[in-house]
Amino acid sequence: MPYTELLKFQDDFISGSPISKEYVHFSESDCPGLDVWIGRIVRGISLEFLHEILFTILSELLVNGCKANGKRVFFLEQNLDIHNEKDYIKGIPLFKEEFGHYRKRVFQSLERTPYKVWLTAKNHPDHIEFSVRNNAKILTEEKHRIDTRVESSVKYRNINDAYRESVDNEESSGLGIVLIHILLRNSGVKNRFFELVTTENDTEVIIRIPKRIIPQETQRDIRELIRREIDSLPPLSAQIQKLILICTKPDVEWSEISKEVEKDPSTTAEVLKIANSPLFGSHNQTVSILEALKRIGLKNLESIFLTLGTKKILNTKYPKQLAVWSHSYKTS
């Protein structure tokens, strides 16, 4: 997507305009495009951690929508009335076989019909809304299956629990609906996030994701915990405070900073490591503190001393973060 189109996409979405994609059928070849589309949306509202979950949910709904359309075309081709109970019972196993083993033929049939599936995302002040709509009226049996799955999803902790209890062996097991509920519930999305809307001509599934997934009460508790932790942090060491103060002097001499740095071996080692890093682009290693300080530059030193002082405090108060940093470094 060209840069100007990308900007328009983001501006339209943030402003609340619906962003839509249209499919005749959905398969693996469509997955990369869907993944990029979702990525652009979640980055705009800082919900990147839901990217993979939304991809799983929306691809499942798109497949279901295309499958529902394909089922109607297949019944017509077999001269079966999808609304007739006997024809339905006779046709479902045949369609299951066709869709499972000869899906390409189903897709080719769909391309000769007006059936389509639309995916839409819309930004609201407090939530983001995704909808998947296909232009086919839902059958009573299909709606009953979905309602049953929605009701039963409450008792499942994970998809394995649902799979073990699945007894629907005529069509797809309906686990996609359960999967959607489990994924969203385990991601912190509670209450009414799933809605099925039906008309004479369309079937639409709507997923609503709140922008504040963590409850406000929990957010307040977290803020209070952070505030208490900040208040309990010890001050910067006297030497770091003195170094920061020296760096702010308008007429400071390099030798004055150098002498103060050399009083602490750990600060000396950190300054040398930073000065010799690729960040400053020098091909020659230095062991001189004076040369290292000049290489870093006066404008950077105040921030570096503040960072070193803060790092010492945090490493002492939160030793576990050292293990996290070490693991991140080794696996990066």
Side-chain angles (χ1 to χ4, degrees), residues 92-197:
I92 282 301
L94 299 175
F95 175 69
K96 183 180 178 182
E97 174 75 12
E98 183 77 3
F99 194 82
H101 298 284
Y102 307 102
R103 191 169 302 188
K104 189 174 181 179
R105 289 201 307 225
V106 177
F107 288 168
Q108 290 172 342
S109 295
L110 277 171
E111 291 170 0
R112 297 190 292 268
T113 73
Y115 284 113
K116 289 183 173 61
V117 179
W118 292 270
L119 168 62
T120 303
K122 187 174 182 181
N123 187 34
H124 295 268
D126 61 345
H127 70 279
I128 178 175
E129 181 177 289
F130 292 95
S131 71
V132 176
R133 177 174 63 90
N134 63 302
N135 52 342
K137 181 182 178 181
I138 194 169
L139 302 174
T140 302
E141 175 64 23
E142 293 171 332
K143 187 174 188 309
H144 173 71
R145 178 175 283 99
I146 291 174
D147 290 341
T148 301
R149 289 301 180 189
V150 171
E151 291 174 7
S152 65
S153 66
V154 178
K155 65 181 180 180
Y156 300 129
R157 293 172 300 174
N158 54 59
I159 196 66
N160 290 330
D161 292 344
Y163 183 79
R164 281 194 295 267
E165 292 190 26
S166 176
V167 294
D168 183 357
N169 54 19
E170 287 299 314
E171 298 191 59
S172 64
S173 60
L175 293 177
I177 298 297
V178 177
L179 172 66
I180 290 170
H181 281 70
I182 292 173
L183 285 174
L184 290 176
R185 192 170 62 238
N186 291 349
S187 299
V189 180
K190 307 295 183 183
N191 303 323
R192 297 180 60 186
F193 51 76
F194 180 95
E195 182 180 3
L196 176 65
V197 179

Side-chain angles (χ1 to χ4, degrees), residues 287-310:
V287 294
S288 165
I289 285 296
L290 187 60
E291 175 62 29
L293 292 172
K294 290 180 180 179
R295 186 178 294 180
I296 293 171
L298 193 59
K299 289 184 178 180
N300 297 319
L301 282 175
E302 184 179 349
S303 297
I304 286 174
F305 290 143
L306 178 60
T307 301
L308 293 178
T310 304

Side-chain angles (χ1 to χ4, degrees), residues 227-245:
R227 187 190 64 78
R228 289 200 304 267
E229 287 293 312
I230 291 174
D231 289 343
S232 68
L233 290 175
L236 294 170
S237 68
Q239 195 229 12
I240 290 293
Q241 291 187 50
K242 187 174 181 179
L243 282 169
I244 292 172
L245 184 62

